[in-house]
Amino acid sequence: MAAFAAVVLLVDIGNTHTHAAVADGGGIVADVRFASESLALGQAERPLAKLLRRAKAERLAGAVFCSVVPRLNTPLKRLLPGRWQCAARQLTAPT
């Protein structure tokens, strides 16, 4: 169970799979892995929603992601504010 009502979503978009985790002030609370292509197909909401339910998160304080598949960044950036009202901040070499 999350120790805080607000948690952060961490996402790593890889070529074949995307790894996502929910973290609170104490560390990783829950994680999931799903096919990266599901972001392009509009099917990533389901595994992410399941992850948040498992983490017992009341709300997302924000999201941070990194990606080696640039074409999948936009679908994630649209999904998070649309479904969970939080912005997604991308980690890159300069940031």
Side-chain angles (χ1 to χ4, degrees), residues 23-69:
D24 66 11
I28 301 295
V29 177
D31 65 326
V32 68
R33 184 176 96 154
F34 56 91
S36 292
E37 194 61 25
S38 66
L39 285 161
L41 298 172
Q43 300 170 347
E45 182 176 343
R46 187 173 184 181
L48 291 174
K50 185 176 181 180
L51 170 64
L52 292 171
R53 281 193 306 274
R54 280 194 333 197
K56 296 180 171 67
E58 293 179 21
R59 69 179 178 88
L60 282 176
V64 179
F65 76 98
C66 60
S67 173
V68 295
V69 190

Side-chain angles (χ1 to χ4, degrees), residues 22 49 71 77 86:
V22 171
R71 70 181 180 84
K77 288 181 192 178
C86 79

Side-chain angles (χ1 to χ4, degrees), residues 8-22:
V8 176
L9 179 66
L10 310 169
V11 181
D12 177 16
I13 303 172
N15 287 309
T16 58
H17 288 90
T18 292
H19 300 265
V22 171

